[in-house]
Amino acid sequence: MAPKISLRKRIALNLYSKYKKNESKIHNLNYIFWECTLRCNLNCLHCGSDCKINTSVKDMPKEDFLKAIEQVMPIVNPNKTLIVFTGGEPLVRKDIEEVGIELYRKGFPWGIVTNGMLLNKNRLNQLLKAGLRSLTISLDGMKDSHNWLRGNKNSYNNAISALEMLPAITNLKYDVVTCINQRNINELSTIRDLLIQKSVKEWRIFTIFPIGRAKNYKELQLNSIQFNSLFEFIKRTRKEKNIRLNYGCEGFLGIYEGEVRDNFFFCRSGINVGSILANGSISACPNLRDNFIQGNIYKDNFADVWQNKYKIFRDRSWTKTGICSECEFYKYCEGNGMHLRDENGNLLFCHLERIVEGKKN
């Protein structure tokens, strides 16, 4: 049995459920991922897309991506629609700045998720001149654990060097993302203190989901006791208010809802979040499997796809199977984050179940 949620929190969750249903009905597109490359300069153990240094999928020509963005301009407010370049490692592309300038001219704010390996002062200045407005850098532990996960002895130092450039830049929103696993779970306090020392204001923590390359490494998964200790750490850190820390948008967390992130759980895939993948596929979050693809920019209009497809995201009643079918919290969770569904739509693991198990031990 799950730990009891207070009446006050249940009322808040019920109200939030109504808000989510309304958001699904309206489905304003305001966050677009562009998987601009599958090339990468690292070989990370937890890579969801199993990117490689050399790949058979060529980088999408920038003109093709910009054409797709032009298609959605009539249905979005560009000033309120963030476009995020992801990969692979976006900075292996030499034309990111050219794309950024065109997006800036169209009124779109844009950002990058990067491992920091190629982010030197000169490249950062070029990106800023092209209109860069947001930046996310991955830091997955202290030196040994970070380099182990990233597969490169220089990765930690490069990420830290990239971070150290950012506090002095005005009008740039940036944060750090950390993927927690059994190698770095005991470093949480040290990582937090390091980030505060480096003047980082915002930090996001994710646990690693078993897809792509990550499913082959059991030590990437936290046990139930570690899972609970992670949320207790996040609660304490948020109360201290020295850094704004949020857990990722991964799943319903029971008693921890409202305690470890700014909002209650809401998977916005296909509701507010869309993506264009490296091969032109139109999807939601880039980490989703092929069975969630809704179209392709080389044969479909992006705006038409967004307006008329994505039913599997906006009506999630199909997820009420297996352990979800009898769960009393299903109306709050609606089957967990979509990236935790496999090729057959089955749930890979349940956050609440892991929390409950940990509380028993």
Side-chain angles (χ1 to χ4, degrees), residues 20 92 98 110 112 115 152 218 234 242 270 323 336 349 358:
K20 290 197 294 184
V92 301
E98 297 172 22
W110 61 276
I112 292 178
N115 57 39
N152 187 296
K218 292 183 178 180
I234 296 175
N242 293 318
I323 62 172
N336 215 305
F349 74 84

Side-chain angles (χ1 to χ4, degrees), residues 238-290:
R238 287 173 63 88
K239 288 179 180 178
E240 292 166 0
K241 297 183 178 180
N242 293 318
I243 189 170
R244 183 181 179 187
L245 174 57
N246 275 282
Y247 182 65
C249 53
E250 294 183 25
F252 179 72
L253 306 176
I255 59 171
Y256 291 113
E257 284 295 322
E259 309 287 341
V260 297
R261 50 191 167 207
D262 292 345
N263 301 301
F264 291 130
F265 168 65
F266 188 3
C267 175
R268 293 182 179 270
S269 293
I271 296 171
N272 305 111
V273 179
S275 70
I276 297 175
L277 305 184
N279 64 357
S281 294
I282 300 170
S283 187
C285 290
N287 285 322
L288 300 178
R289 259 67 63 211
D290 288 349

Side-chain angles (χ1 to χ4, degrees), residues 94-257:
K94 304 300 183 183
D95 59 355
I96 287 296
E97 292 83 355
E98 297 172 22
V99 181
I101 288 172
E102 289 302 314
L103 293 175
Y104 181 79
R105 288 172 178 167
K106 297 177 189 299
F108 289 95
W110 61 276
I112 292 178
V113 178
T114 177
N115 57 39
M117 290 289 289
L118 299 175
L119 193 64
N120 54 40
K121 188 173 183 179
N122 181 58
R123 189 74 193 270
L124 179 58
N125 287 335
Q126 292 176 9
L127 293 166
L128 292 168
K129 288 178 181 179
L132 179 70
R133 288 294 175 266
S134 76
L135 185 66
T136 294
I137 292 182
S138 297
L139 184 70
D140 296 308
M142 302 307 292
K143 189 171 185 176
D144 289 344
S145 54
H146 176 94
N147 289 344
W148 166 78
L149 189 67
R150 295 279 164 178
N152 187 296
K153 65 180 181 179
N154 298 315
S155 179
Y156 175 84
N157 288 340
N158 285 30
I160 293 297
S161 295
L163 277 178
E164 291 174 339
M165 296 187 290
L166 305 182
I169 301 172
T170 57
N171 299 320
L172 178 67
K173 181 179 176 61
Y174 71 93
D175 66 354
V176 169
V177 167
T178 302
C179 291
I180 300 300
N181 56 77
Q182 292 194 24
R183 290 282 189 106
N184 64 14
I185 183 69
N186 295 322
E187 299 176 345
L188 284 168
S189 296
T190 309
I191 300 169
R192 176 198 60 206
D193 294 345
L194 173 66
L195 295 180
I196 293 172
Q197 178 192 347
K198 299 297 181 183
S199 300
V200 174
K201 303 299 182 183
E202 297 194 27
W203 183 23
R204 283 181 292 153
I205 283 178
F206 288 82
T207 42
I208 297 172
F209 35 96
I211 65 171
R213 199 178 300 157
K215 65 184 178 182
N216 299 321
Y217 298 92
K218 292 183 178 180
E219 61 265 52
L220 296 180
Q221 303 300 315
L222 301 181
N223 62 43
S224 59
I225 295 175
Q226 292 169 328
F227 207 57
N228 279 274
S229 70
L230 171 62
F231 296 126
E232 291 297 331
F233 168 81
I234 296 175
K235 280 178 59 177
R236 291 193 304 272
T237 299
R238 287 173 63 88
K239 288 179 180 178
E240 292 166 0
K241 297 183 178 180
N242 293 318
I243 189 170
R244 183 181 179 187
L245 174 57
N246 275 282
Y247 182 65
C249 53
E250 294 183 25
F252 179 72
L253 306 176
I255 59 171
Y256 291 113
E257 284 295 322

